[in-house]
Amino acid sequence: MRSSLSNTTIFSQPLFLHVMLIFITTSFHHVLAKTYLNASERHPINSSSFEAFSLLKWKASLENASQTLLSSWLVTSNASPCQWDGISCDNFGRVNQMDLANYGIRGNLHHLNFSSFPHLQLINLSNNSLNGTVPRNICNLSRLSFLYLSSNHFSGVIPPEIGLLKNLKHLRLSKNHFIGFIPSSIGNLIKLELLYLSINELYGPVPPSFGNLKSLLHLCLLNNTLNGSLPIELENLTNLQTFQVAENNLSGHLPQNVCLGGSLAKFTAYDNKFIGSVPRTLKNCSTLSRLRLDGNQLSGNISEAFGVYPSLVYMDLSHNKLYGELSSQWSLSHNLTSLKISLNNLSGSIPIEIGKLTKLEMLDLSSNHLTGKIPKSLESLTLLLELDLHGNEISGEIPIEVGKLSKLTRLDLAANNISGKIPGDIGDLVRFHGK
C-alpha cells in the first residue's frame, strides 16, 4: 500500500507541473491572476498593483493588433502602470489619467473594471475603433472630470448612470452610433462645461433638465434626429460660447437668451423647423464668429435683428422669411469670408459699403427682391470666389469692375433686369466656370 502511494506521489508531481505549464501558457488572464494572488499571500495588493492587473486584463481582451500597440503594458516586479503608454499617475502612484486617443485600438470596454480606478480623473479614448455599449458601471468613477469617447463605434443607449458622475466637466460622445433618448440624468452634472453629443442617432426631445447646467460653455447636439421644441429651461444657459443644434427635426422658437452672457462665438441651428424671431440677444452679440441659421422659417427685419460683429467669419441666413434692407453696418464685420442670405424677402439695394469686406470669398444674396445696380465697389473684393445675385430685381449694366475679380470661379446674375453688354474682362477670367 505504501509503495503504491509513493509511486503515485512520484509520478503525479511532474504530471501536475506539466498540466500547469499548459494551463499558464494558454491563458493570459490566468497568468495575471496567479501572479497577483501569489503576491497577496505575502502582503496585501496595493492599489497600483490592482490597477495594473485591471489594465492588463482589459488589454488582453482587445484584438491582437491592439495589444501590440500597448506593448509597454507589461507585468514587472513593482507592477506599477505609471510608466506605461497612455497612463499617468498622481503623486501617490495611483492612476488618474488614461489617455489613449488616436491609438487605433479595437475592442470594447466590457473587460475594463472601472471600480479599480477610484482616483481616475480623465479618460480619453477618442479616435479609436472601440465598439459595443458603454458599461453602466462607469458610474463608479466618482472623481472623473473628463470623459472623451468621440469618434469610435460605440452603440446602444447612453447609460443614464453617467448622470452620477457629479464631478464631470467635459463629456464628449460625438461621432458614434448611440441611439435612443438623451438621458435626463445628464442634467444632474451641474459642473459640466462641455457637452458634445453630435453625429449620433439620438432622437426625442432635448431634456428640460439641461437647464440645470448653468456652468455649460459648449453645447453641441447637431446631426441627430432630435425633435420637438427646445425646452424653455435652456434660457438659463447664459454663458454659452458654443450652441449647435443643427441638422435635427427641432421646431418652435430659438432660445432668446442664447447670448445674454455676451460670450457666444458659434451658433448653428441650420436645417431644422424653427419659427419666430431671431434671438434678441444676437443683436449685440459682438463675440460671434460663426452663425448659421439657414434652412428654417425664421422671420423678422434683418436690420433690426442683427448688429455689428467684428469677429464674424461665416454667416448663413439663407432659406428663411427675413425681410428688410441690408444695412451699411455689415461692412464693419471686416473678418467675414462668407455671407449668404439667399431665399429670403430682402429688399432695397446692395450697399456700396459691402466693398469693405475685403476678406470675402463667397457672397450669395440670390432669390430675394433686391433692386438697384450692382455696386462698383465689388472691385475691392479681390478674394471673391463666388458671387450669386440671381433671382432679384437688379437693373443696370454689369460693371466692368466685376471682370477684375481674378479669383472668381462662379458668377450667377440670371433672372434680373440687367441690360447692356457683358464686360469683356469676364471672358478672360481663366478660372471662371459660372453662368
Side-chain angles (χ1 to χ4, degrees), residues 297-371:
Q297 300 175 46
L298 300 172
S299 58
N301 190 313
I302 193 168
S303 296
E304 297 175 0
F306 298 97
V308 176
Y309 309 108
S311 301
L312 192 64
V313 174
Y314 191 104
M315 173 180 271
D316 194 344
L317 306 175
S318 300
H319 209 152
N320 279 290
K321 298 179 179 180
L322 300 171
Y323 60 88
E325 298 185 6
L326 292 173
S327 169
S328 60
Q329 287 191 328
W330 288 84
S331 64
L332 300 177
S333 301
H334 50 78
N335 283 306
L336 261 179
T337 62
S338 183
L339 177 59
K340 300 180 180 181
I341 321 180
S342 66
L343 289 160
N344 279 280
N345 294 310
L346 303 185
S347 57
S349 59
I350 301 172
I352 60 174
E353 290 84 358
I354 206 164
K356 295 180 181 180
L357 299 176
T358 55
K359 295 183 180 180
L360 208 59
E361 298 176 1
M362 184 175 295
L363 177 61
D364 186 355
L365 304 176
S366 62
S367 300
N368 282 285
H369 303 287
L370 297 174
T371 58

Side-chain angles (χ1 to χ4, degrees), residues 229-242:
S229 299
L230 292 176
I232 190 67
E233 288 82 359
L234 291 188
E235 299 288 358
N236 297 333
L237 309 183
T238 58
N239 296 310
L240 288 174
Q241 297 174 17
T242 304

Side-chain angles (χ1 to χ4, degrees), residues 64-228:
N64 290 337
S66 298
Q67 294 183 36
T68 303
L69 296 171
L70 302 176
S71 58
S72 67
W73 291 24
L74 298 170
V75 178
T76 58
S77 58
N78 61 9
S80 173
C82 298
Q83 303 302 317
W84 294 354
D85 290 343
I87 303 298
S88 299
C89 298
D90 60 20
N91 293 334
F92 299 97
R94 302 172 302 199
V95 173
N96 66 353
Q97 293 189 19
M98 181 189 302
D99 189 350
L100 297 172
N102 305 299
Y103 268 65
I105 295 172
R106 295 179 179 272
N108 57 56
L109 299 181
H110 296 297
H111 295 278
L112 184 57
N113 184 6
F114 292 112
S115 61
S116 302
F117 308 98
H119 302 281
L120 199 59
Q121 297 177 18
L122 177 146
I123 295 179
N124 189 356
L125 299 174
S126 301
N127 295 304
N128 284 290
S129 296
L130 295 167
N131 55 50
T133 59
V134 174
R136 295 179 180 272
N137 64 354
I138 197 170
C139 64
N140 291 327
L141 302 174
S142 59
R143 288 183 172 85
L144 196 66
S145 296
F146 305 95
L147 178 58
Y148 303 135
L149 302 179
S150 298
S151 301
N152 280 285
H153 304 295
F154 290 114
S155 58
V157 300
I158 298 173
E161 288 80 2
I162 278 183
L164 298 174
L165 300 174
K166 296 298 180 64
N167 287 306
L168 208 60
K169 293 182 179 180
H170 288 192
L171 177 59
R172 288 178 177 263
L173 303 179
S174 299
K175 296 184 180 179
N176 281 288
H177 303 288
F178 290 113
I179 61 171
F181 283 42
I182 298 174
S184 61
S185 61
I186 290 179
N188 298 329
L189 305 175
I190 58 174
K191 294 183 181 180
L192 207 62
E193 298 174 357
L194 183 150
L195 177 58
Y196 281 12
L197 303 179
S198 302
I199 314 178
N200 280 289
E201 299 164 31
L202 301 170
Y203 52 80
V206 176
S209 62
F210 277 18
N212 300 330
L213 305 177
K214 296 180 181 180
S215 297
L216 202 62
L217 302 177
H218 305 279
L219 176 60
C220 299
L221 306 175
L222 63 85
N223 203 341
N224 282 285
T225 319
L226 302 174
N227 55 39

